[in-house]
Amino acid sequence: MSKLRVAVLGAKGRIGSEAVRAVEAADDMELVAALGRGDDLGALTESGAHVAVELTTPDSVMDNLDFCVRHGIHAVVGTTGWTDERLATLRGLLDASPETGVLIAPNFSLGAVLTMRFAQLAAPYFESVEVVELHHPKKVDAPSGTATRTAQLIAAARAEAGCAPQPDATATALPGARGADVDGVPVHAVRLRGLLAHQEVLLGGEGETLTLRHDSLHHSSFMPGILLGCRRVVSAPGLTFGLEHFLDVG
Ligand SMILES: NC(=O)C1=CN([C@@H]2O[C@H](COP(=O)(O)OP(=O)(O)OC[C@H]3O[C@@H](n4cnc5c(N)ncnc54)[C@H](O)[C@@H]3O)[C@@H](O)[C@H]2O)C=CC1
Ligand SMILES: O=C(O)C1=N[C@H](C(=O)O)C[C@H](O)C1
């Protein structure tokens, strides 16, 4: 059987360099291009890439996806910075290239995907929910894409269940003390030397709390999800948001 031809964008970065090794080690894949900032995207078409793994920066991802989708190259995207406006732009590109698939995964690790699912399930049953994400200090965006997505899923689950707004008597606060407000869910971002990628979802009810915690201790935690994304995106035209759609975690 012919191998899946995979390119990595952001190939010298922290996760991109790990993805290069993972693709090289996969029996059913061939690494056909490994591009860094400033490299010519023409290498993607010249190398005949079927899938581009996009692991760059929020300021680069849209131009890279514009190129990929216009050339019918499927994409597996881990880069953060997704806004409604960016998603609408991407959907417009995909409408013009209906056979192309793009997977955006706020987090490729199985544990993080499950944490989001568990948080969604638990959120309607507790009065209070807050998200704390903790990352290495070289991370350029806050809150993390994972925490933002987690909070959005929590808020949607609570809205659907008709939950009341969260109790919070705060009358005075230093700016930022109560975190960022993501659809009514407070999200707090910690940056600490020694950490990689971690998240806690704190849920509180009458006389009890529940804490969901996930820790990515090494970039290898993201690799099975990236490889799965590459294998599945080629037969999933359009936009898929969240790795859970390629996993049976319902
Ligand atoms: N979805 C997930 O599971 C994960 C997502 N990430 C996200 O992936 C992104 C990258 O994270 P890190 O590797 O830690 O950052 P990094 O800064 O180590 O790597 C980014 C790399 O992309 C390169 N780059 C920038 N523009 C480029 C372009 N136009 N073409 C090719 N290369 C370009 C940079 O020079 C750098 O080498 C971030 O948005 C991060 O949040 C990181 C880990 C897991
Ligand atoms: O920058 C990182 O490191 C990570 N970024 C993603 C995010 O913002 O959620 C995924 C993971 O947390 C690692």
Side-chain angles (χ1 to χ4, degrees):
M1 211 170 90
S2 63
K3 294 192 178 192
L4 193 60
R5 300 175 69 79
V6 179
V8 176
L9 299 172
K12 293 184 181 145
R14 281 176 289 274
I15 183 170
S17 53
E18 188 78 21
V20 164
R21 286 190 286 277
V23 171
E24 282 176 332
D27 290 340
D28 58 341
M29 294 182 194
E30 183 181 351
L31 181 76
V32 296
L35 305 186
R37 191 187 276 277
D39 288 347
D40 183 359
L41 292 175
L44 298 177
T45 44
E46 283 156 24
S47 65
H50 300 136
V51 181
V53 180
E54 219 292 350
L55 301 166
T56 64
T57 53
D59 65 318
S60 294
V61 64
M62 290 308 287
D63 286 347
N64 286 341
L65 289 182
D66 184 290
F67 182 93
C68 289
V69 174
R70 282 183 200 281
H71 289 86
I73 299 169
H74 309 284
V76 169
V77 184
T79 306
T80 44
W82 290 98
T83 58
D84 289 346
E85 193 186 2
R86 283 180 166 217
L87 289 171
T89 302
L90 178 57
R91 284 197 178 91
L93 288 167
L94 285 164
D95 284 347
S97 182
E99 290 179 6
T100 308
V102 173
L103 166 68
I104 298 173
N107 202 302
F108 287 109
S109 82
L110 177 62
V113 172
L114 287 172
T115 305
M116 286 186 256
R117 184 74 189 115
F118 297 154
Q120 245 181 317
L121 288 174
Y125 298 100
F126 292 83
E127 277 182 73
S128 306
V129 191
E130 307 214 1
V131 178
V132 185
E133 56 95 330
L134 311 90
H135 279 81
H136 59 89
K138 290 194 170 168
K139 184 164 178 59
V140 296
D141 56 312
S144 69
T146 308
T148 303
R149 182 66 179 153
T150 305
Q152 290 168 342
L153 292 170
I154 288 169
R158 289 171 68 83
E160 197 181 331
C163 294
Q166 303 203 39
D168 182 359
T170 307
T172 61
L174 285 177
R178 292 290 292 118
D181 181 329
V182 179
D183 297 350
V185 178
V187 179
H188 311 268
V190 175
R191 297 292 173 263
L192 205 69
R193 182 75 63 202
L195 296 183
L196 178 55
H198 317 259
Q199 177 164 288
E200 289 191 356
V201 181
L202 311 174
L203 302 113
E206 189 62 45
E208 65 174 333
T209 66
L210 170 66
T211 302
L212 305 172
R213 180 172 173 113
H214 175 256
D215 299 277
S216 268
L217 305 172
H218 190 268
H219 279 101
S220 55
S221 62
F222 306 114
M223 297 306 126
I226 289 177
L227 298 182
L228 174 74
C230 291
R231 292 179 184 117
R232 294 290 302 276
V233 77
V234 293
S235 49
L239 177 61
T240 302
F241 196 95
L243 188 67
E244 62 274 19
H245 298 290
F246 290 169
L247 294 167
D248 188 15
V249 293

